[in-house]
Amino acid sequence: MGINAKRRAAAAAFTALATAVTGFAVVAEASAATPSLGATAMATPRTTAPALDPAALQQAIAMRSGEAAAGAVALVRSEGQTWRGSAGDTQTGRPVADDAHFRIGSISKTFSAVVLLQLAAEHRVDLDQSVQQYLPGLLPATFQPITLRQLLNMTSGLPQIGDGGPSMTTDQLIAGRFEYQGFRQIIDSTLRPAGRPWPGPVFAPGTAQSYNSLNFRIVGLLIEHVTGHSFGDEVGARIVRPLHLTGTFVPQGRPRMPSPYLHGYLTDSQGTVTDVSAAGGDPSSMISTTGDLNTFITALFQGRLLPRAQLTQMFALPHDADDDLLPYTGDSGNCQTGPEKGKACFGLGIGTDTLPDGTVLWGKTGEDMGYFTAMFATRDLRHVGIVSTGVTDLAAEAGLEKANRLAAAAFMP
């Protein structure tokens, strides 16, 4: 499988994570669900949280034989209890610090959504106005008007980044890992590729939902256009500095990782393992820590980053004119569990899943070269889990497996 398909597979991991942690939350959160969720009868959830077991949590993130992983760092919070831990780097034999930095991949989408929603609260953008109005000429004429809200909730119908083009091999990714691509470069190379037909809409805007990272490259460009500042500067001014996220950075093309950091790796076609921690990325690439992501998701859910109206919109799932959730299409990983299987499960920059006991989880996963990270919580913040794994292959399945094991050890002892 090439890089484009791998990135789409990583985006599907939140649903898989939620499916694997049926006992994750101990209190059902019916008030956090959209009206169409929770209509199916559910089992009665537990009403008290078990004590966290440090030994079991440590074992959950430990390296295992044959696993394509090379270190991990995690944080679990459950009803007043907090545990932090790490597992050593199998490639270097060195320990990993509990406060190690790592690349967060698509979790940056949640940061992007917060910034755009803040701009909406300031009346500097209208989420129901079109991309074509704010960025004339960015989209080819074959595309109908696409609203900013449709970018944020994955209902734009835009093609995937690089659709129709050749998938990059792992060897090519390793060789080109220091390359830096700007937002417009990514957008233009997808929508106006040289040497092959330009892709058109996948579906009419607002008629379905499909996970798509191109949406958020356009969001990043829009933030820069509206504010006159870089994406990194806006994230810094609006989120990082107000929350004192001292371990969170938007590198903006600078490949060096801050110390201490979790190393990420890729294995080439000859079996050689290469450290890919230092990389170029794009303007929305971000680095963080488990402590900072815990602070971020806590502040977000508490309403410290967004006014009530915008926070409510963030958790709203897209519906059609008959008030039914839109169908989810495009991949077989996302939105395939719970009472609304096959229906939209993404709000504005954040995803949800309803567990068999009625509990609602919200969160985001992210994959970058050499890394898989998961950030998830109950809406009332009684339970929070953050885990990042340094992986050694492009699939990053070991990262998802560690997230599953950690959640099970924390909430299903």
Side-chain angles (χ1 to χ4, degrees), residues 26-243:
V26 298
V27 177
E29 298 179 274
S31 61
T34 56
S36 57
L37 294 176
T40 303
M42 297 290 177
T44 302
R46 295 189 297 269
T47 57
T48 59
L52 294 177
D53 182 343
L57 295 171
Q58 188 63 48
Q59 182 59 33
I61 64 169
M63 299 299 106
R64 300 192 177 188
S65 178
E67 187 177 56
V73 61
L75 180 151
V76 173
R77 222 179 66 222
S78 178
E79 303 217 33
Q81 309 165 78
T82 301
W83 173 85
R84 292 177 174 85
S86 63
D89 189 322
T90 59
Q91 297 298 310
T92 64
R94 297 173 183 168
V96 174
D98 291 355
D99 60 349
H101 299 82
F102 46 83
R103 295 186 180 275
I104 69 173
S106 285
I107 292 175
S108 68
K109 290 180 172 63
T110 310
F111 285 80
S112 301
V114 169
V115 172
L116 195 61
L117 284 164
Q118 287 182 354
L119 292 171
E122 297 163 8
H123 305 290
R124 298 174 70 179
V125 297
D126 182 343
L127 297 187
D128 296 312
Q129 292 299 319
S130 70
V131 174
Q132 288 91 333
Q133 174 179 322
Y134 286 103
L135 297 168
L138 181 71
L139 305 183
T142 52
F143 290 89
Q144 300 177 35
I146 295 171
T147 68
L148 308 190
R149 190 183 307 278
Q150 288 164 347
L151 293 178
L152 291 175
N153 66 16
M154 309 287 188
T155 64
S156 68
L158 287 167
Q160 300 286 346
I161 292 175
D163 259 8
S167 292
M168 293 181 68
T169 66
T170 302
D171 291 5
Q172 289 172 325
L173 287 170
I174 293 171
R177 65 188 182 278
F178 299 115
E179 180 183 356
Y180 179 76
Q181 290 188 310
F183 288 134
R184 190 173 286 273
Q185 182 181 357
I186 295 170
I187 296 164
D188 286 346
S189 65
T190 296
L191 299 181
R192 296 176 172 86
R196 66 177 190 271
W198 294 3
V202 178
F203 52 79
T207 62
Q209 185 178 78
S210 180
Y211 192 93
N212 186 338
S213 292
L214 184 63
N215 292 318
F216 279 81
R217 301 304 186 270
I218 296 174
V219 168
L221 183 64
L222 178 67
I223 288 169
E224 295 188 340
H225 176 76
V226 170
T227 65
H229 304 135
S230 72
F231 173 85
D233 287 347
E234 287 297 309
V235 168
R238 294 171 176 274
I239 301 174
V240 172
R241 288 194 291 277
L243 294 183

Side-chain angles (χ1 to χ4, degrees), residues 12 69 80 178 209 254 291 312 382:
F178 299 115
Q209 185 178 78
R254 296 184 297 273
T312 299
R382 292 189 184 190

